Amino acid sequence: MTALSARHEGPRDPYPTRLAEERWLPRQDRIVWSSWRPDAPLTAQQTESFERNGFLILHDLFSEEEVAALRAESAALRSGQRRLAEETLITEAGSDEIRTIFQLPEQSPLFARLARDRRLAGVARFLLGDRVYLHQSRLNYKPGFTGKEFYWHSDFETWHAEDGMPRMRAVSASLLLTDNDALNGPLMLIPGSHRHFIACAGKTPEDHWKFSLKQQDLGVPSQESLTRLVERYGITPAMGKAGSLIFFDCNTMHGSNGNITPFARSNAFFVFNAVSNRLEEPFAAPKPRPAFLAHRGEPDPLTVEIGPLV
Amino acid sequence: MTALSARHEGPRDPYPTRLAEERWLPRQDRIVWSSWRPDAPLTAQQTESFERNGFLILHDLFSEEEVAALRAESAALRSGQRRLAEETLITEAGSDEIRTIFQLPEQSPLFARLARDRRLAGVARFLLGDRVYLHQSRLNYKPGFTGKEFYWHSDFETWHAEDGMPRMRAVSASLLLTDNDALNGPLMLIPGSHRHFIACAGKTPEDHWKFSLKQQDLGVPSQESLTRLVERYGITPAMGKAGSLIFFDCNTMHGSNGNITPFARSNAFFVFNAVSNRLEEPFAAPKPRPAFLAHRGEPDPLTVEIGPLV
């Protein structure tokens, strides 16, 4: 990996981005980093599906009791009763209502336990073939009626450019805390898109993350590229009942529509990164994003725990 | 109908709106104004479904050739080659691209023929039990990627308040010119909502229509009322292939989510009003909206035509 230290000269970085012009590049990394074995936390078929599509939806993985406990904890965190670190809270424009809480395990023992669960960290460790740590975690709450869209993007593009994540060896897990159907703005994924790295056009300005959390305009593919991807692969909405879990590869193109239905959406979101893939200097930004968005420094590998949460 | 001339004193208007507080009122009008007969342009089952739900989706009603001709005509109208009346064009903010063309039959012989078709005007005449004229018509084009949401509303509430439509005796027909699925922001309808008139809170400002075409904030139900409606009745997305036709009652609550998918949506939209229900003075606005939004004066009843469009 010493080659990476030369990345600012250009040729050795397999995923150059924020360029003068958009480019399609082939993925240089594996998708599933372990060989399947009978004691793996996913079936062979689930593993193969993740490899092919770049995501996997596990329906009704958490029990009603577990979901109820997580929802109660979520409500307590959002109520303002709990002391939370100021910089980890994102409120809606023109309102005090909390929409996102970052650094979730640091602020809630129950969510810390959730992250370590074999159904999350255990699967992540299997998919990434390494011990894993949390690159980012958050609780998302999108109200009904006014839920805004989130435009198409590959997380890895941002994590590589702005956080300095060297390779595609990270996976996201989103646990649905509310039911998601096609109409209330579910996560939409482009199956197969994880095999292409779309190097984006544009130069990252200082403190880009302050704007990109509200609306993403840099680090997103052109309409032409998105059309090509969707014509080739289609779009899959990640629908499921509360308690369903969605894994998706760090480079799977995804987004979500807005939501005027009365049905709010909420999920607990964890990004697992391989300890061997720890962050370096940003590949295409003046300075790294803050720690609540991207854990820097010595990784803290997760101990996997088994059994029900509550 | 002389009672209506006293509407500004209040008690005789069955649908008072733009009030100090929101109110739910029962519908005072029929939904289907004809008795079904074997020669009706809808089956008995379709008629009963419209009566119950307040809408009806007729799949693949127009042939591929008809749809192709209508799409070609639509493209020609939107291209700027055709001379169109300035005030009938709505462009997207920050772009010259035409998103909506009002007074469609006045500007296109093919769309004029479409409006008179038995599958549209014939059905409208049957549902409304009267000769019909066009209250409003338009061609809608919503691009992919940036399609904006349209918030929940009853058309009749606006037409009554701002156009002076006396009673619920009008029906909308939307012919899909593109495929609509659950993800590209289809029309969403609340089945059964047409039986309730939700009198809205708020006072109509001068020239409200200039703003309400871009974003509707007055004349929409409260989140509480929408939640009650949806809990009781649910939401139905009007999905279908190009060539499918959607009829919906003037008082059926509807809206649509935004659309970040690459798939544009386009439809031809006609509002048929019973000639006996012609407009009066607005019931809750300082002055009527312009003619391209609401035909005033002597109704021009449509002659129904039979057979393929092309």
Side-chain angles (χ1 to χ4, degrees):
Chain A
M1 295 297 258
T2 52
L4 286 169
S5 63
R7 69 192 171 284
H8 292 297
E9 286 103 70
R12 306 304 184 108
D13 177 7
Y15 304 116
T17 187
R18 314 289 165 106
L19 308 174
E21 290 195 343
E22 184 183 74
R23 289 170 60 190
W24 284 49
L25 300 169
R27 182 185 184 114
Q28 301 292 335
D29 294 300
R30 299 181 61 170
I31 297 156
V32 176
W33 296 69
S34 301
S35 299
W36 186 81
R37 300 185 343 172
D39 64 348
L42 294 178
T43 67
Q45 194 185 8
Q46 287 168 340
T47 306
E48 195 273 325
S49 175
F50 180 87
E51 171 108 28
R52 184 176 64 250
N53 295 319
F55 64 86
L56 181 67
I57 305 173
L58 300 168
H59 292 279
D60 308 322
L61 192 65
F62 284 75
S63 71
E64 282 181 30
E65 293 69 30
E66 289 176 309
V67 171
L70 291 165
R71 286 172 66 124
E73 177 75 355
S74 164
L77 288 166
R78 292 179 46 248
S79 71
Q81 297 158 9
R82 208 78 72 79
R83 198 179 175 81
L84 301 169
E86 189 78 35
E87 79 275 12
T88 67
L89 306 179
I90 308 287
T91 53
E92 195 82 337
S95 145
D96 281 346
E97 282 211 68
I98 295 174
R99 297 295 183 233
T100 303
I101 302 173
F102 284 95
Q103 295 192 321
L104 201 45
E106 287 86 336
Q107 311 194 77
S108 158
L110 183 62
F111 281 106
R113 171 64 184 79
L114 173 64
R116 290 193 302 271
D117 197 274
R118 184 170 187 264
R119 291 165 287 182
L120 278 80
V123 169
R125 194 169 63 174
F126 167 68
L127 290 172
L128 304 178
D130 196 356
R131 289 180 304 157
V132 297
Y133 73 98
L134 285 172
H135 170 66
Q136 188 191 97
S137 64
R138 59 180 198 260
L139 178 67
N140 291 314
Y141 179 83
K142 295 202 176 188
F145 302 111
T146 59
K148 291 286 167 259
E149 76 275 5
F150 214 103
Y151 199 67
W152 300 105
H153 62 287
S154 147
D155 289 328
F156 178 77
E157 196 279 341
T158 294
W159 299 339
H160 187 66
E162 303 190 26
D163 296 337
M165 183 182 285
R167 310 293 299 218
M168 295 182 187
R169 198 172 183 173
V171 63
S172 296
S174 174
L175 177 62
L176 302 188
L177 299 178
T178 52
D179 296 352
N180 260 216
D181 67 18
L183 297 182
N184 71 334
L187 177 68
M188 298 188 292
L189 303 131
I190 301 181
S193 59
H194 59 309
R195 296 181 184 278
H196 308 277
F197 181 70
I198 301 184
C200 294
K203 192 168 179 302
T204 317
E206 192 98 359
D207 291 339
H208 176 239
W209 63 272
K210 288 183 185 169
F211 313 102
S212 67
L213 285 183
K214 303 262 176 191
Q215 186 176 345
Q216 192 144 11
D217 45 6
L218 193 71
V220 300
S222 65
Q223 293 188 356
E224 292 68 30
S225 284
L226 286 168
T227 302
R228 272 175 66 193
L229 277 177
V230 170
E231 280 174 353
R232 183 159 169 187
Y233 297 116
I235 298 173
T236 303
M239 303 186 286
K241 297 272 177 204
S244 300
L245 184 65
I246 304 158
F247 284 101
F248 58 102
D249 178 82
C250 59
N251 190 45
T252 302
M253 196 66 69
H254 62 285
S256 60
N257 280 322
N259 171 27
I260 67 164
T261 78
F263 305 112
R265 282 180 300 156
S266 180
N267 60 65
F269 191 88
F270 302 93
V271 181
F272 299 94
N273 191 22
V275 295
S276 57
N277 196 37
R278 61 181 284 185
L279 303 191
E280 305 182 4
E281 289 306 301
F283 287 78
K287 61 179 187 186
R289 301 193 300 171
F292 74 88
L293 288 173
H295 177 85
R296 303 194 73 78
E298 197 59 43
D300 185 15
L302 292 164
T303 312
V304 174
E305 294 191 27
I306 296 176
L309 294 184
V310 287
Chain B
M1 296 295 257
T2 53
L4 286 170
S5 64
R7 71 192 172 282
H8 291 298
E9 285 103 72
R12 304 304 184 108
D13 176 7
Y15 303 117
T17 187
R18 315 288 166 108
L19 308 175
E21 290 195 344
E22 184 184 73
R23 290 169 60 190
W24 284 49
L25 298 169
R27 181 184 184 115
Q28 300 292 334
D29 294 300
R30 298 179 64 169
I31 297 155
V32 176
W33 294 69
S34 301
S35 299
W36 184 81
R37 299 185 345 171
D39 64 349
L42 293 177
T43 67
Q45 194 184 10
Q46 288 168 340
T47 307
E48 194 273 325
S49 175
F50 181 87
E51 170 108 27
R52 183 177 63 250
N53 295 319
F55 65 86
L56 180 67
I57 306 173
L58 299 169
H59 291 279
D60 307 322
L61 191 65
F62 283 75
S63 71
E64 281 181 31
E65 293 70 30
E66 291 177 307
V67 171
L70 291 165
R71 287 172 65 124
E73 176 75 356
S74 164
L77 289 166
R78 292 178 45 246
S79 70
Q81 298 158 7
R82 208 76 74 79
R83 197 177 174 80
L84 301 170
E86 188 79 36
E87 79 274 12
T88 67
L89 307 179
I90 308 287
T91 53
E92 195 83 336
S95 146
D96 282 344
E97 282 213 68
I98 295 175
R99 298 296 184 232
T100 303
I101 303 173
F102 284 96
Q103 295 191 320
L104 200 46
E106 288 87 336
Q107 310 193 77
S108 159
L110 183 62
F111 280 108
R113 170 66 183 78
L114 174 63
R116 290 194 302 272
D117 197 275
R118 183 170 189 262
R119 290 166 287 183
L120 278 79
V123 169
R125 197 169 62 173
F126 166 67
L127 291 172
L128 304 179
D130 196 355
R131 289 180 303 157
V132 296
Y133 72 98
L134 285 172
H135 170 67
Q136 187 191 98
S137 65
R138 59 182 198 259
L139 179 66
N140 292 313
Y141 180 83
K142 295 202 176 186
F145 302 111
T146 60
K148 290 286 166 263
E149 77 274 7
F150 214 104
Y151 198 68
W152 300 106
H153 63 287
S154 148
D155 290 326
F156 178 76
E157 196 279 340
T158 294
W159 298 341
H160 186 66
E162 303 190 27
D163 296 337
M165 182 181 286
R167 310 293 300 218
M168 294 181 186
R169 198 171 183 174
V171 63
S172 296
S174 174
L175 177 62
L176 302 187
L177 298 179
T178 51
D179 297 351
N180 260 216
D181 68 15
L183 297 182
N184 70 334
L187 176 69
M188 299 188 291
L189 303 130
I190 302 181
S193 59
H194 60 309
R195 296 181 185 278
H196 308 276
F197 180 70
I198 302 184
C200 295
K203 193 167 178 303
T204 317
E206 193 97 356
D207 292 339
H208 175 239
W209 63 272
K210 288 183 185 170
F211 313 102
S212 66
L213 285 183
K214 302 262 177 190
Q215 188 177 345
Q216 190 146 14
D217 44 6
L218 193 72
V220 298
S222 65
Q223 293 188 355
E224 291 68 29
S225 284
L226 286 167
T227 302
R228 271 175 65 192
L229 276 177
V230 170
E231 280 175 351
R232 183 157 169 188
Y233 297 116
I235 296 173
T236 304
M239 302 186 287
K241 296 274 178 203
S244 300
L245 185 64
I246 304 158
F247 283 102
F248 59 102
D249 179 82
C250 60
N251 190 46
T252 302
M253 196 66 69
H254 62 284
S256 60
N257 280 321
N259 171 29
I260 68 164
T261 78
F263 305 112
R265 281 180 301 156
S266 179
N267 60 65
F269 191 88
F270 302 94
V271 182
F272 298 95
N273 191 22
V275 295
S276 57
N277 196 37
R278 60 180 287 184
L279 304 190
E280 307 181 4
E281 290 304 301
F283 287 78
K287 62 180 186 185
R289 300 193 302 171
F292 75 87
L293 287 172
H295 176 84
R296 303 194 72 78
E298 197 59 41
D300 185 15
L302 293 163
T303 311
V304 174
E305 295 190 26
I306 296 176
L309 293 184
V310 287

